[in-house]
Structure formats: structure tokens, C-alpha cells
Amino acid sequence: MSTDIVDLSACSIAQEISKKSISCKDVTTAFLERIDELNPVLNAVCTLNDQALDQADKADQRLARGETARPLEGVPILVKDILHTKDVRTTYGSLIRENYVPGEDAVSVERLKDAGAILLGKTNTPEFAHDVNTNNQIFGTTRNPFNVNVTAGGSSGGSGSAVAANLAPIALGTDLGGSIRVPCSYNSIVGLRPSPGRVPVYPTEFGWDTLVEHVQGPMTRSVADLGLAMSVLAGPDDRDPSSLPASTHDFNVAASATQSLEGQRIAYVGNLNGLFPLDPEVERLTKAAARQFESLGCIVEEASFDESDIREIVTGTRAFGMVGRYAQLFDEHKDKMTLQLVNQVTNALTLDVRTIVNAEKMRTGYWHRVRQFFEQYDYMIAPSVGAPPFRLDEALPTEVGGVAVERYYDVYLAAYAFSVTGLPVMAVPCGLTGNGLPVGMQIVGHRLRDDSVISAAAVFCLPAVLPFVYPVISIADNICRDFDCSPDSALDCLSKRVAAKSNASPNVNG
């Protein structure tokens, strides 16, 4: 395997292939070998596309005939296992869909492939993408390349782990309450929760995705690669009646780090007036990152808005989606579902219509408070998650930063607080904790200004401001140090610990 190839960005791969310096087949082979080397422990990729090399061959043949290279020609991609991929198994991480093979691609996948990308395979997800830890009954647990004893996050944890470990330069994720932003934070990569409708969603049972929208977006190691992906992904499609008109902004230009941020006003909102528990190391790193914008000519202030009813908003709006999507499956296949999903559907079914309607009314009031606060600023910055990634082999933490918490999952309200607004949000890394675990932050932009948050992330992520941190993977040594075992038995030690922890977790309502 060529290490040089798997270290290349998507932009560089596309450029080298267009110049015929490397072939699509060489690139695909290198990344498949990388998956073969690291995935047995990371468990980020759950299904391979057995046609990947053939598709790379056909791309090389196109170029040999003198056809123009497409924007993503030969660039390997991975796709979260809840997005349809034609003729490639799509399980949703559920025993209910274990053998499902779609007859068509999701629009997002279709667009990437039409632009020349090579689908390597699917990335692991919790069942139907509803947990902040990536684990399911078909494929098991995905691990973090920075430390394989901690979670890669969820629900796009497979995509996050894979991109961080160079298994592909671009992966697709989805985001309702933070499922792109959480894995980006935990794996030190970048990702975008786009404005709802910016990336068309099809196929889906909910064309208008009532209440808080599920969105699809790219996860990459560089902002330039994310801009390249968005230049292909964005734009209207009649199969999605909620899709937005074409943007007037060029996402490649937005990601080029050439835009000036001079004079831009930024609100660092911290933990939103105590909404969620915030680990001191996470607070230190995100606050320092926010202050880095001052060196770019920005005005940074600490301020926030009234978020006092966000828990009721999340509970009601989320329940609507849980009942709509899973109540029938729950009635027919409860015995096949994970305990996490059973708990979430069970809780949702206890709510009446009036509670859900009131939650949406509160959401409207919440939006206007955010809107009015945001009139004073160009961006908001907040932690992506209130705590670093937790260990896989121990019980769910009961403390955050040494302070006892009643419900650990409140740390994820950091992301959900912005999901309910529909505003575009970039997730970017902002450093490592003292024990080497990644921390990320959110850059929130004005309505429909996806280009703006991409530009801010691009300038912020320049090496002169804050370099990216990529994992150094030493899997066996990492496990052995914790569990006092030999390298040959390392994975078995970890698997037993993870299984024991999973069986002891009675209620995970992410």
C-alpha cells in the first residue's frame, strides 16, 4: 500500500488523477488496503463495495479515451449505512434491515458518484442512527483511532473514525441532534450540518420531514475537501420537495481560506447559561479557539440567549419523529431492536399530540429569541459536546469534569440546541485534552449561509492559526497498556470489556 496516496486530500487526489499522475485504480487499491489493515480493530467500515475496483477501472478507461476528468474523479468515498447505495447492502445498523439491498442510490450518493467518486463501502451506525455511540447487533462497536478504548461517537461514528484514520478522504454522515458534529469532535475532523434542504434527501418516507429536520452532509479532514464535496452535493432536486434553490455562493471559493473575517462579530456562547455540563478542559480549548478569531481581526464577546425551554422542545419534537419512523417497526419487530432504540420509542409513545404541538410552539419562540440575539453577531461559537469521548469498556460516566451529573447525555444538548434552529453549523477541531482526546467546536452561521460557516472554518483551520491533529494509531499497544495483556490478545480483551459494558447499560436515550 502507498502511504503517500492515503495521506492525500480529496482535492489533491482529484488533481493528480486529472493530470494522470496516478490512476483511479491505484488510489482505490491503496485505500482498500488501508481499510484491510486498520478496520479489523476500528470497525468503522461495515460493508465493502465489491465493485469498487471495477468502477475505478472504468474511470481510468474514460480518462484514457480523452474524456474530461470530473470534479471528484477517482476520489474514494464512504457512506453511512442508513443512506441508500444501489446494489450495496444498507442495513441501518438493524437486524430488521440486515439483508436489505437498495435498487437506487440516495441523491447525495448519486451526486458524488456522478462527479466521479468511487464508493468504497458503508460506515457503521447505531440502529437507525439513534445513539451517540456507534454500536449495533450486526457489526458491533466502532472505535476511535485516537484511542481505541473510547467511543468514536454517533450516530455517524463509522464515518468519523474512518475519515480520521485515512480510510477515505470523504464520508457522508447524517445529523438530527448532532450526529455529524459529535463524531467530528471526537475524531478531530471537520463536518457540516447544512441548512435543511441544502443537500436533497431522497429516498425518505418523510418528504417534508416535519419538525426538526434530518440532514445529510460531508465529513472530511480538511475544509477544502468539505467545500469540494458540497460543490457537488448542494442544489435542488424535485424528488425532495423541501430542497432549496441553488446557492448563489461557490462552496469551493468559500473553502479556499481567502475570505477576510476582519471586523466580524462573534459570540462565544459557552454552555448556554448552564444548559449542559461542560468539562473544564473542553471549555478551556473551545474558549481559546474562539479567542483565536481575534487574531484574524474579529471581535469576540462572551454572550448567550435564553434557552430555558430547549429540553421541552427536544423532547416533544424528537418524540414526533420517533413515533412517525419507528412505531410500526416497534409493534412488529420490538424483539429485534436494540435496547437503546426500544427505550426511545417507548418514551416517545407516552407523549400526547398536545405535548408535541406545544413543543413546536416553544420552538418558534426559541427561534425568535435566537434570531434577535444573532442580529448583533456574524457567528456563534460553542463546544460541539460538553465532554471528551467516553470509554467503551466502562459504565457511562456519572461525572463531567469531576462534577456529578444526573443525566450524562445532557452533554449532547450542546449540538441539539442549534439543530432545532435549522441554522448551518460547521464542526471543527480545536485541540486535544491532556490525555490526548479530541475536542471540537461548532461555528454557527446565519440562516442559509452555509458558505459563511465554511469560510470561517477555512480561515480558522489555517496552520498558522490552529493546525489539524491526526491520530497516531498504535492499536495493540494502546489496549495492552490499559488491560495488561499481550498484543495477540488485545482485541479480545477490548471486545469482552465493551460487551460487558453494553449489557450493563439499561437506558441510553441519545
Side-chain angles (χ1 to χ4, degrees):
M1 178 194 72
S2 171
T3 302
D4 292 340
I5 289 178
V6 299
D7 285 340
L8 291 175
S9 67
C11 292
S12 296
I13 290 170
Q15 289 167 4
E16 294 302 315
I17 285 175
S18 69
K19 294 187 298 185
K20 299 183 180 177
S21 301
I22 52 177
S23 72
C24 299
K25 188 171 183 179
D26 285 344
V27 171
T28 301
T29 299
F31 278 95
L32 287 174
E33 289 178 357
R34 178 75 167 180
I35 292 171
D36 185 62
E37 176 190 0
L38 295 181
N39 198 60
V41 170
L42 294 178
N43 197 32
V45 178
C46 55
T47 300
L48 286 174
N49 174 19
D50 59 13
Q51 298 300 310
L53 286 172
D54 289 341
Q55 291 164 7
D57 263 334
K58 290 177 181 176
D60 285 329
Q61 291 167 20
R62 283 186 70 261
L63 297 175
R65 292 194 297 267
E67 296 185 35
T68 303
R70 296 166 290 181
L72 289 171
E73 198 73 66
V75 175
I77 61 168
L78 289 164
V79 173
K80 186 176 180 178
D81 200 28
I82 65 167
L83 300 180
H84 283 210
T85 43
K86 184 179 180 180
D87 299 330
V88 179
R89 184 170 67 150
T90 302
T91 73
Y92 293 78
S94 175
L95 293 173
I96 301 168
R97 297 282 189 268
E98 185 173 6
N99 298 308
Y100 177 59
V101 179
E104 62 181 339
D105 285 320
V107 171
S108 53
V109 177
E110 176 185 276
R111 289 183 172 182
L112 293 175
K113 289 167 67 174
D114 286 348
I118 305 297
L119 175 66
L120 299 182
K122 309 301 289 289
T123 56
N124 204 21
T125 177
E127 186 172 27
F128 292 105
H130 282 291
D131 196 9
V132 294
N133 182 40
T134 295
N135 178 54
N136 61 60
Q137 297 179 86
I138 304 172
F139 303 113
T141 302
T142 295
R143 301 177 179 89
N144 191 313
F146 279 83
N147 182 333
V148 296
N149 304 304
V150 304
T151 181
S155 63
S156 307
S159 291
S161 176
V163 169
N166 281 8
L167 305 190
I170 296 173
L172 283 180
T174 66
D175 192 305
L176 170 62
S179 288
I180 286 174
R181 291 161 287 162
V182 170
C184 284
S185 177
Y186 283 178
N187 294 278
S188 197
I189 62 173
V190 300
L192 174 69
R193 177 185 161 89
S195 301
R198 183 70 67 203
V199 178
V201 175
Y202 172 86
T204 175
E205 293 179 318
F206 292 85
W208 286 270
D209 207 2
T210 308
L211 307 189
V212 181
E213 300 90 344
H214 291 69
V215 298
Q216 300 173 16
M219 302 168 68
T220 62
R221 286 185 296 130
S222 74
V223 181
D225 282 358
L226 186 140
L228 177 60
M230 281 300 296
S231 72
V232 170
L233 290 166
D237 190 294
D238 284 347
R239 289 170 290 183
D240 180 355
S242 297
S243 60
L244 295 172
S247 173
T248 58
H249 302 279
D250 186 319
F251 292 112
N252 280 312
V253 172
S256 64
T258 58
Q259 313 298 304
S260 172
L261 298 181
E262 187 76 31
Q264 298 287 284
R265 296 181 64 86
I266 295 175
Y268 173 72
V269 298
N271 68 346
L272 295 170
N273 297 316
L275 172 66
F276 57 91
L278 184 56
D279 180 276
E281 280 198 279
V282 173
E283 181 177 28
R284 175 180 60 81
L285 289 167
T286 53
K287 186 179 290 189
R291 289 295 175 190
Q292 288 284 352
F293 279 92
E294 292 178 331
S295 67
L296 301 171
C298 298
I299 301 163
V300 180
E301 299 175 353
E302 294 189 33
S304 193
F305 50 86
D306 178 8
E307 39 51 55
S308 55
D309 51 4
I310 190 66
R311 284 182 174 83
E312 291 90 341
I313 294 169
V314 171
T315 298
T317 57
R318 187 180 178 90
F320 182 90
M322 297 302 296
V323 173
R325 286 177 169 81
Y326 310 118
Q328 185 174 347
L329 291 175
F330 178 83
D331 292 340
E332 297 173 358
H333 303 290
K334 177 181 177 181
D335 59 320
K336 291 185 177 181
M337 288 181 167
T338 58
L339 183 59
Q340 290 91 333
L341 189 57
V342 166
N343 287 337
Q344 292 181 74
V345 177
T346 300
N347 292 339
L349 287 168
T350 65
L351 301 186
D352 59 16
V353 174
R354 181 172 295 178
T355 300
I356 292 170
V357 170
N358 284 338
E360 184 67 355
K361 285 182 179 178
M362 285 188 282
R363 182 187 175 205
T364 301
Y366 179 84
W367 159 251
H368 288 298
R369 296 197 301 274
V370 173
R371 175 185 60 79
Q372 290 166 358
F373 170 79
F374 214 3
E375 288 174 354
Q376 308 168 62
Y377 300 99
D378 299 286
Y379 301 100
M380 287 186 280
I381 288 178
S384 294
V385 189
F390 55 82
R391 287 188 66 93
L392 290 165
D393 59 305
E394 297 176 354
L396 200 66
T398 58
E399 296 183 346
V400 172
V403 178
V405 292
E406 183 177 343
R407 186 175 183 273
Y408 181 78
Y409 273 63
D410 281 350
V411 298
Y412 301 104
L413 287 171
Y416 224 131
F418 297 106
S419 293
V420 301
T421 67
L423 296 172
V425 188
M426 272 291 297
V428 298
C430 58
L432 302 178
T433 65
N435 58 355
L437 296 178
V439 170
M441 69 178 182
Q442 305 175 85
I443 303 174
V444 184
H446 281 268
R447 196 171 75 89
L448 304 181
R449 290 302 306 274
D450 305 67
D451 64 294
S452 176
V453 292
I454 293 171
S455 291
V459 176
F460 173 76
C461 291
L462 283 170
V465 181
L466 185 76
F468 279 91
V469 181
Y470 298 127
V472 177
I473 303 171
S474 180
I475 290 169
D477 289 346
N478 196 322
I479 302 170
C480 296
R481 184 174 62 250
D482 280 356
F483 299 157
D484 191 24
C485 60
S486 69
D488 289 342
S489 63
L491 181 56
D492 184 54
C493 287
L494 180 59
S495 298
K496 288 178 180 177
R497 290 289 194 97
V498 171
K501 188 252 183 176
S502 298
N503 292 334
S505 298
N507 183 22
V508 181
N509 184 18

